[in-house]
Amino acid sequence: MIGRNTTWRQGSLIKQEELERIGLSPAPSSHVILISHDCDIPHKGEDAVEAIICPTVVPDKTLRDCKNPRKLHLRLESLSGEEIYIELNFQKRTFISKAQLAVELSGPQDNYYISEPEKRTLKQWLSSRYGRPAYPNAFENHLKMKIGKYSVERLFSDLVAPVAEHIVGIFIGLDGDKNIELPPGEPYCLSIFIVYRTDINALEARESSERLATSLADLLTRAYGQPDEATAICLDRCTAIADSRITLADLMKVDQWRLEWLSLADGNDDFVSVSDI
């Protein structure tokens, strides 16, 4: 069996030439990545490890950095400096018995690896699967209100998608208990924080995020009215903030809004509302 000194870790890649030994036969360009936690891989109480079959893809900025809760484009690097991207999809999960892992496989792939920043992204994406927030039905229904042909949340998506590469995350806070279903006429007080990245093109990221904050505020005001007259959603503030400036105390008060609508940037018209995430 697998001992505590195993070289298998969360994020390890199985050698492609050994996949058939464990009954897997994906496309030649696909990779298989372990997603079980490091501690669960050698644990005696676990009979199998969890993995995802990942095709090689052209990276989509809307599927990077945990923007989508069901799909993730992750960068792999080689010792020669080559970079490729793979797509993780929760629908492509599989289980591998530990006996197979220990007997049939010679160890993790060594020609490609996941960098530490990408590994942190992987961990965050895995945790978001079960840790993402749920909102009151009344609040979700307010977001479905249409302006012309499209709902507010769809229009929200159209504003965010073009600048998604600059954004670490969009965080929202609802004043009071976010689990309360408010009666008609009583608005949810909403705060929005657009957290932009400062490691790449910081000035462009800041300017894009500030313009986005203005556009989102205009959209919500157009949809629900000025804060002192709103009866559905009252926008308290919409602010762009650098990832280096937001604090843990700030994050404890808000939730990251993970909408699959970011996939609309590639022309996919299969919109998924916040209530379906």
Side-chain angles (χ1 to χ4, degrees):
M1 291 298 290
I2 299 174
R4 300 297 299 182
N5 62 344
T6 180
T7 56
W8 292 104
R9 295 286 186 271
Q10 185 179 72
S12 290
L13 298 163
I14 297 175
K15 294 174 181 175
Q16 291 171 297
E17 64 271 18
E18 296 183 355
L19 291 175
E20 290 188 358
R21 297 182 187 179
I22 55 175
L24 297 178
S25 54
S29 61
S30 294
H31 293 262
V32 178
I33 184 172
L34 263 59
I35 60 172
S36 291
H37 190 278
D38 289 355
C39 295
D40 293 334
I41 294 173
H43 198 283
K44 294 180 180 179
E46 304 278 347
D47 295 327
V49 295
E50 195 170 1
I52 296 182
I53 300 172
C54 309
T56 304
V57 294
V58 175
D60 181 340
K61 64 184 179 182
T62 67
L63 297 178
R64 293 279 291 149
D65 302 319
C66 303
K67 293 185 178 74
N68 186 301
R70 290 187 173 86
K71 292 183 180 181
L72 174 69
H73 282 185
L74 201 66
R75 183 179 68 249
L76 303 182
E77 301 176 27
S78 72
L79 297 177
S80 63
E82 180 189 4
E83 291 184 351
I84 62 172
Y85 288 81
I86 58 174
E87 180 177 281
L88 282 74
N89 184 334
F90 271 102
Q91 299 302 312
K92 302 240 181 116
R93 286 175 295 170
T94 187
F95 289 90
I96 303 168
S97 74
K98 289 187 178 179
Q100 286 182 307
L101 199 68
V103 176
E104 302 294 341
L105 303 180
S106 61
Q109 186 178 150
D110 52 11
N111 55 329
Y112 283 103
Y113 67 94
I114 301 175
S115 67
E116 284 304 316
E118 291 292 291
K119 191 171 293 186
R120 286 194 294 271
T121 297
L122 171 62
K123 291 178 181 292
Q124 183 183 356
W125 182 72
L126 291 171
S127 66
S128 73
R129 172 69 175 178
Y130 302 105
R132 63 190 187 273
Y135 300 106
N137 291 331
F139 175 69
E140 294 174 354
N141 290 335
H142 292 326
L143 293 175
K144 291 182 174 65
M145 190 188 84
K146 289 191 174 182
I147 299 179
K149 183 179 178 181
Y150 297 114
S151 66
V152 171
E153 60 181 352
R154 170 66 180 264
L155 295 172
F156 195 115
S157 79
D158 291 339
L159 291 172
V160 174
V163 298
E165 63 184 311
H166 298 303
I167 297 173
V168 174
I170 294 179
F171 296 83
I172 73 167
L174 296 182
D175 187 29
D177 190 339
K178 70 177 182 181
N179 297 312
I180 292 178
E181 299 286 347
L182 295 179
E186 188 172 344
Y188 288 94
C189 291
L190 176 66
S191 297
I192 302 176
F193 299 92
I194 302 165
V195 181
Y196 60 88
R197 60 190 307 170
T198 56
D199 58 337
I200 301 176
N201 298 326
L203 179 58
E204 183 181 352
R206 187 190 74 185
E207 293 174 345
S208 297
S209 298
E210 289 174 347
R211 287 194 296 269
L212 175 60
T214 299
S215 298
L216 291 179
D218 290 344
L219 169 64
L220 295 178
T221 299
R222 183 155 50 101
Y224 305 112
Q226 296 294 333
D228 58 351
E229 62 184 30
T231 59
I233 294 177
C234 167
L235 181 62
D236 182 40
R237 56 178 163 169
C238 185
T239 307
I241 183 171
D243 57 4
S244 58
R245 296 288 301 276
I246 194 165
T247 68
L248 178 59
D250 293 329
L251 293 175
M252 293 291 286
K253 300 174 185 176
V254 295
D255 293 306
Q256 188 166 358
W257 207 359
R258 303 176 188 277
L259 293 183
E260 286 188 292
W261 40 246
L262 289 172
S263 63
L264 291 171
D266 61 8
N268 176 13
D269 204 41
D270 187 18
F271 177 75
V272 181
S273 74
V274 66
S275 59
D276 295 325
I277 297 301

